[in-house]
Amino acid sequence: MTDCDLCGKGLPTLIPVRTYPPLFKFAYPEGVWKGLCETCLDSAQKTYLGVNKDEVSCRNNKCALCGHKGRAHPVELQVPDFSKGTVKKEVNLCMKCLESIDKAYIKFKREQIECSACGHGHH
């Protein structure tokens, strides 16, 4: 089991997303892999699609995935809670992480379609 890097939900497998933490840019120039659950991936993808690239309505904050300080966009998550089931929580993600999430989302959905087309029923 491993935990989603955004909501903390424990799942056997997560969707890999490449991030570029500024703190590790010399040690890991190719980026660092983070794992997201499908729910968080969907929420972040929805935010990415709704972001107007020229818009300045984002926040000056720290990115929840890579730790970059600067412009970040709020993403609403469904965080598991033992007493309430799920709780809505907002985290901030920078544009670079949102772009990486978009690439991971497209790849994940393409793999799901290919897998369902082959008829093996992996999911």
Side-chain angles (χ1 to χ4, degrees), residues 6-119:
L6 284 181
C7 72
K9 188 187 308 178
L11 294 169
T13 58
L14 296 173
I15 300 142
V17 174
R18 188 186 307 245
T19 64
Y20 300 89
L23 195 61
F24 301 121
K25 70 181 174 185
F26 296 112
Y28 301 103
E30 297 297 316
V32 176
W33 292 99
K34 298 285 186 168
L36 300 185
C37 67
E38 191 172 353
T39 309
C40 288
L41 190 78
D42 290 341
S43 296
Q45 168 71 5
K46 194 182 301 180
T47 298
Y48 175 77
L49 293 175
V51 168
N52 182 347
K53 307 293 188 279
D54 302 323
E55 194 176 312
V56 191
S57 70
C58 59
R59 307 169 175 177
N60 258 338
N61 220 318
K62 187 175 174 182
C63 178
L65 273 182
C66 73
H68 180 265
K69 290 180 182 171
R71 296 176 60 172
H73 301 275
V75 175
E76 189 175 280
L77 304 178
Q78 302 286 332
V79 179
D81 184 288
F82 288 113
S83 60
K84 300 174 187 165
T86 58
V87 176
K88 291 184 185 216
K89 176 185 167 191
E90 270 192 359
V91 298
N92 297 305
L93 296 179
C94 68
M95 199 61 208
K96 198 165 188 177
C97 284
L98 285 173
E99 288 167 355
S100 290
I101 286 169
D102 180 54
K103 289 177 188 171
Y105 180 87
I106 292 167
K107 183 180 179 193
F108 176 70
K109 292 299 180 184
R110 186 179 299 133
E111 287 172 357
Q112 274 189 326
I113 291 167
E114 289 171 0
C115 193
S116 65
C118 73

